[in-house]
């Protein structure tokens, strides 16, 4: 890590705690984040105010180690999708564990990554904004060690990029995005159109074609067979482009896919990529693993299909407090849409904490969210009182991180050992 990156990360610890950071102890105002972390306060007795989101230190470490091992075992380079967390401290932990770089989705995320020393970025999106392109070009020209690869999926987009980058000293590396099918998100729909986009790149002095990529999570009615068939199309496109000499001038051929639901199938198909004229960078981009979740990805994780590979662990818990018990079958806690991910699944009531003792949240379920309340249904066996803390599991980490700009990193006994800063 460069001296500049170390200094930038160190400055996070120097940020002052104040009203911007919800859930933190009110009496910590004015302390730096580093000073507060050094106090090793307890999440439950150290003055934290509900609602407060906590990230498990042990489970985070487990997940980081597991995916590092997985990528190594399957011969994959790894560029985890950083838009899941947008947390430079987590970027660095992923890079320290051998990640090739960080995947991002939009230009402002690249600015965050560059501010904290990330040297390789895979931008899994089309990029046609002139201001952003000029900024990226300036970054490439100023830092020979910086590399950015992004999608292209249209002749028009290529023309706009080339115009915005005119005069750049270094070409911008691009990969043709193959769409996951009709009705899917971005990407070129047919191989013939892919060739036309590649021809446009070849005619654009400011761009260099280095590979092909896409996102198998968008395959319509995804199942192993459909995902596998699309991945074989992607590999065949790379082979066809190579045989046609379309990667002339590249140093390696990038073949990239891999969200958090089908990376086992990506590993399987990428293992069969034949020898090409240049070394092949088989780049996996799964990102939700870093915290995992209790809903969407817990149901879809490939480790359910291949349990011998290990298991990810949900690392988030949102601690809330019962503020109203208006009826025997109803209770309300003080966290809602502003605090909890809800775009894919509602939160899950997991534990009740009263007088320092935790027990399962038997008979308690979340039925709806308001802006600042979660609606709880309480069955006959539920033991819930006003003042109880209720720990909620969350679904979809991508919309959990973005609601909390400073997240306590807590050990199993509640000791808070650090704070994770996010930028959305």
């Amino acid at each position: 890590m460069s001296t500049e990156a170390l200094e930038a990360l160190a400055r996070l610890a120097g940020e002052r705690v104040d009203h911007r950071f919800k859930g933190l102890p009110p009496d910590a105002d004015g302390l730096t984040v580093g000073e507060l972390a050094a106090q090793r306060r307890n999440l439950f007795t150290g003055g934290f105010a509900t609602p407060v989101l906590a990230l498990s230190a042990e489970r985070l470490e487990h997940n980081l180690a597991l995916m590092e091992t997985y990528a190594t075992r399957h011969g994959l380079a790894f560029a985890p999708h950083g838009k899941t967390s947008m947390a430079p401290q987590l970027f660095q932990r992923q890079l320290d564990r051998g990640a090739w770089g960080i995947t991002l989705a939009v230009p402002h995320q690249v600015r965050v990554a560059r501010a904290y020393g990330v040297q390789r970025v895979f931008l899994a999106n089309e990029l046609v904004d002139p201001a952003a392109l000029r900024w990226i070009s300036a970054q490439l020209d100023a830092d020979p060690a910086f590399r950015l690869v992004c999608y292209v999926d249209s002749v028009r987009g290529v023309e706009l990029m080339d115009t915005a980058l005119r005069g750049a000293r270094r070409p911008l590396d691009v990969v043709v995005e193959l769409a996951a099918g009709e009705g899917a998100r971005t990407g070129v729909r047919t191989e013939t159109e892919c060739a036309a986009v590649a021809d446009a790149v070849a005619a654009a002095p400011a761009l260099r074609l280095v590979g092909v990529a896409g996102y198998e999570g968008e395959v319509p009615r995804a199942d192993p067979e459909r995902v596998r068939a699309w991945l074989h199309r992607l590999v065949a496109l790379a082979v066809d482009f190579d045989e046609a000499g379309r990667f002339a001038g590249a140093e390696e051929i990038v073949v990239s896919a891999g969200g958090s639901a089908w990376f086992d199938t990506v590993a399987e198909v990428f293992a069969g990529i034949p020898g090409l004229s240049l070394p092949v960078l088989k780049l996996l981009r799964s990102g939700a693993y870093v915290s995992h979740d209790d809903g969407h990805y817990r149901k879809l994780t490939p480790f359910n299909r291949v349990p011998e590979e290990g298991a990810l662990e949900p690392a988030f818990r949102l601690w809330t407090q019962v503020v109203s018990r208006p009826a025997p079958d109803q209770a309300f806690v003080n966290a809602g849409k502003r605090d909890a991910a809800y775009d894919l699944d509602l939160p899950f009531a997991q534990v009740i904490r009263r007088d320092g003792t935790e027990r399962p949240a038997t008979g308690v379920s979340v039925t709806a969210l308001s802006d600042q309340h979660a609606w709880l249904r309480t069955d006959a066996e539920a033991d819930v009182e006003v003042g109880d803390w209720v720990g909620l599991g969350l679904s979809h980490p991508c919309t959990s991180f973005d609601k909390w700009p400073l997240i306590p990193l807590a050990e199993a006994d509640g000791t808070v050992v650090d704070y994770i800063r996010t930028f959305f």
Side-chain angles (χ1 to χ4, degrees), residues 17-18 21-29 33 36 41 46-49 51-53 404 406-408 419:
V17 174
D18 58 24
F21 306 124
K22 58 185 179 179
L24 300 192
D27 67 352
D29 278 11
V33 173
L36 181 57
R41 295 198 188 195
F48 291 84
V52 58
L53 180 68
W404 294 84
L406 196 60
I407 303 171
Y419 296 82

Side-chain angles (χ1 to χ4, degrees), residues 73-90:
R73 180 185 300 129
H74 291 281
L76 300 169
F78 191 32
H81 212 316
K83 60 93 176 174
T84 300
S85 69
M86 284 309 298
Q89 293 145 291
L90 299 185

Side-chain angles (χ1 to χ4, degrees), residues 292-338:
H292 199 41
D293 71 358
D294 281 293
H296 181 72
Y297 286 115
R298 191 168 194 171
K299 291 179 286 189
L300 295 178
T301 176
F303 291 121
N304 290 339
R305 297 187 289 272
V306 281
E308 63 273 15
E309 296 267 24
L312 294 167
E313 297 179 353
F316 269 141
R317 180 164 284 170
L318 177 61
W319 286 101
T320 67
Q321 195 166 26
V322 178
V323 294
S324 180
R325 188 80 158 94
D329 63 349
Q330 193 175 46
F332 291 86
V333 294
N334 60 345
K337 294 178 181 178
R338 309 294 186 194

Side-chain angles (χ1 to χ4, degrees), residues 2-18:
S2 70
T3 301
E4 293 79 6
L6 285 169
E7 291 174 349
L9 288 169
R11 284 196 294 274
L12 291 177
E15 195 165 9
R16 295 287 172 182
V17 174
D18 58 24

Side-chain angles (χ1 to χ4, degrees), residues 44 62 235 282 315 318 407 422:
F44 308 111
H62 168 84
V235 170
K282 304 174 184 179
L318 177 61
I407 303 171
T422 66

Side-chain angles (χ1 to χ4, degrees), residues 30 42 77-78 149 339:
N42 188 276
F78 191 32
V149 180
D339 313 296

Side-chain angles (χ1 to χ4, degrees), residues 205-217:
L207 303 179
R208 179 174 69 161
L209 185 65
V210 298
V212 298
Y215 175 46
E216 74 291 338

Side-chain angles (χ1 to χ4, degrees), residues 37 50 54 60 78 95 182 226 323 385 396 399 417:
T50 57
L60 171 64
F78 191 32
L95 293 168
E182 290 299 324
R226 289 188 177 94
V323 294
E385 296 179 356
H396 202 194
T399 53
V417 296

